[in-house]
Amino acid sequence: MSEKKDLPLSPVDERVKVLEALRTVALRFEKDVGKLGYHEIALLLGTARTAAEENLRSMSDDSTRQ
């Protein structure tokens, strides 16, 4: 069997990948942490999720303008 080699990502692709992972993790744990009573941590996760979503939206807007 041949091994699949991943091509290096461009800086933009890498940033998108990281932002999507951050958004996914924050979304997954935000509610669970809040239910456990760690409201400050839930707030930080919500802030991280929102920032990731805004960055992704901004990057999407920039790419459609070009």
Side-chain angles (χ1 to χ4, degrees):
M1 279 189 345
S2 65
E3 288 185 31
K4 179 183 173 189
K5 291 188 178 183
D6 292 332
L7 296 175
L9 295 174
S10 73
V12 172
D13 291 338
E14 196 167 309
R15 184 172 177 197
V16 167
K17 192 173 183 178
V18 169
L19 288 170
E20 287 175 343
L22 174 61
R23 178 183 62 188
T24 301
V25 168
L27 186 61
R28 167 67 178 89
F29 290 106
E30 182 181 357
K31 292 179 184 176
D32 292 343
V33 169
K35 288 178 187 175
L36 294 173
Y38 298 104
H39 301 291
E40 294 85 5
I41 296 172
L43 182 62
L44 289 172
L45 287 167
T47 302
R49 177 184 47 81
T50 301
E53 289 171 349
E54 288 174 359
N55 273 284
L56 287 167
R57 204 172 304 119
S58 173
M59 291 175 74
S60 175
D61 291 347
D62 290 345
S63 68
T64 56
R65 280 187 222 139
Q66 293 178 355

